[in-house]
Amino acid sequence: MTPQDERCASTHRAARRWAAADQVPVESDGLALARSVNDHVRRTGKHFLPKRMLSRLSEIRHRSAADLPFLHAFLDCLLDRHEDRFWNRTYLSLPVLELLLGERNCAVSADRMSALLMADVVRFEAGAAGGSREGPGRGRPSVETVSTRLRHTLRFIAQGVGGSGSGSGPGAGDLPSRLDCGGGSRLEDLVDHLPRPPATDAWAWFDVTVQPVYVLHDEYFFIRVLQAHEMLFTAMAEHVKSAVSALREGYPEECAERIDDAVAMFERAAGLFRVVATMRAEHFSTFRHYTQGASAIQSEQYKRFESLCGVPQTSRLHSTAFTSVPAVRAEAQAPGHDTVTRAYLDLRHERGPGGAAWSRLDAALGRLESRHQRWKSAHRGLAARMLGDAHGSGYTDGVPYLTGVLQNRLFWQLPLPLPLPLPLPR
């Protein structure tokens, strides 16, 4: 029996024991089972898990995992395709990551989480360079490509951890400005300088939040990048929500500060596109064949951010963009749903025009509008390179869809200067 066959048999035995047990052992939270299953997923791809194993795991989820929130969330993601409900949230293991953000006494913000996710990309590449978790034919990119990928990744991490090394690891000053991937020791040394998740039992689940559908090397970092994007939009939504509160309390200056916080998040998000650009289009095409049904169009946090800026126009609310996220669409259409646009118009009506504070706020809103447009344009350009004429995995038209939404504005009801039109990337 090969080592891989033995690991598969071990996972089957673990699932069988859990499925046969009358109750979950008191001392167990299910992490050992999740690690065993996740190791199997990493070696075969979630799309190719044996049906017998999936059936046993489904039994465990329905019978034993209700009192174990992390195991329940993990299995909810793992069984999505088996139960014909595969979509963006479960492909990206967002239910598990959101539990970690909500962990009691946890000081990790969504922004900080994005840095931890990308730090794990560096650890993955370091492990691959050292020979771990890599099998023949998994398509690890060239040394030059990995070096470019890690350079952009390190820049993103440094922006996220700032100058302080307190809490979960070293600060930005501890990260090298350049990386030489030609020497294995250099990459290994770097790992010690990366921010780490909190050393708690709950955060041990962070290690099982990548469930690739296939076995190609690049899908791992692709999942982490999409997760980081979701965390940034989570942070952006919180900033915009705070901006609404500031306006309702009569403080346009404070609102401008919160809007500029969101602008900074968009600048960081643009850096993630540079990381994705290191992926080979043919490899993306290979594994995305198994991701049909999961798409960024299903991002709830992006739509939540958008709908907190202003209620989208009716045509957009009835488009696939919002019908694919029904919970957020319902929020946006609720009578009590408040937005920056509504709060802005109400306060302007009350106080009238003029004043330095309003000029500053108008400038901040213009910056966010412009950054949003640039982000969409960069997304469209990257998709054109990776997809070509192919349809999107969320059953959209792909690049033509992204071209069409370039005209959408966040603050379409406000008398703000229109952002300059951007040339379409080739």
Short mmCIF file of all heavy atoms in Angstrom, two decimals, residues 12 17 216 282 365:
data_model
loop_
_atom_site.label_atom_id
_atom_site.label_comp_id
_atom_site.label_asym_id
_atom_site.label_seq_id
_atom_site.Cartn_x
_atom_site.Cartn_y
_atom_site.Cartn_z
N HIS A 12 -10.74 7.16 6.00
CA HIS A 12 -11.96 6.34 5.99
C HIS A 12 -12.23 5.77 7.38
O HIS A 12 -13.37 5.76 7.86
CB HIS A 12 -11.81 5.19 4.99
CG HIS A 12 -12.19 5.56 3.59
ND1 HIS A 12 -13.49 5.77 3.21
CD2 HIS A 12 -11.44 5.75 2.47
CE1 HIS A 12 -13.54 6.07 1.92
NE2 HIS A 12 -12.30 6.07 1.45
N ARG A 17 -15.38 5.60 12.37
CA ARG A 17 -15.48 5.59 13.84
C ARG A 17 -16.44 6.67 14.32
O ARG A 17 -17.26 6.44 15.21
CB ARG A 17 -14.09 5.81 14.46
CG ARG A 17 -13.18 4.59 14.41
CD ARG A 17 -12.00 4.76 15.35
NE ARG A 17 -11.20 5.95 15.05
CZ ARG A 17 -10.17 5.95 14.20
NH1 ARG A 17 -9.83 4.83 13.58
NH2 ARG A 17 -9.50 7.06 13.98
N LEU A 216 -4.01 21.03 -8.59
CA LEU A 216 -2.99 21.94 -9.10
C LEU A 216 -2.49 22.88 -8.00
O LEU A 216 -3.28 23.40 -7.21
CB LEU A 216 -3.51 22.74 -10.28
CG LEU A 216 -3.57 21.99 -11.61
CD1 LEU A 216 -4.19 22.87 -12.68
CD2 LEU A 216 -2.18 21.53 -12.05
N GLU A 282 -3.72 28.66 -18.25
CA GLU A 282 -4.09 27.28 -18.55
C GLU A 282 -4.35 26.48 -17.27
O GLU A 282 -5.21 25.59 -17.25
CB GLU A 282 -3.02 26.59 -19.41
CG GLU A 282 -1.65 26.45 -18.76
CD GLU A 282 -0.75 27.65 -19.02
OE1 GLU A 282 -1.28 28.74 -19.35
OE2 GLU A 282 0.49 27.50 -18.89
N LEU A 365 -15.66 60.96 -0.85
CA LEU A 365 -16.60 60.12 -1.61
C LEU A 365 -16.14 59.98 -3.06
O LEU A 365 -16.26 58.91 -3.66
CB LEU A 365 -18.00 60.73 -1.55
CG LEU A 365 -18.67 60.75 -0.17
CD1 LEU A 365 -20.00 61.50 -0.23
CD2 LEU A 365 -18.89 59.34 0.36
#
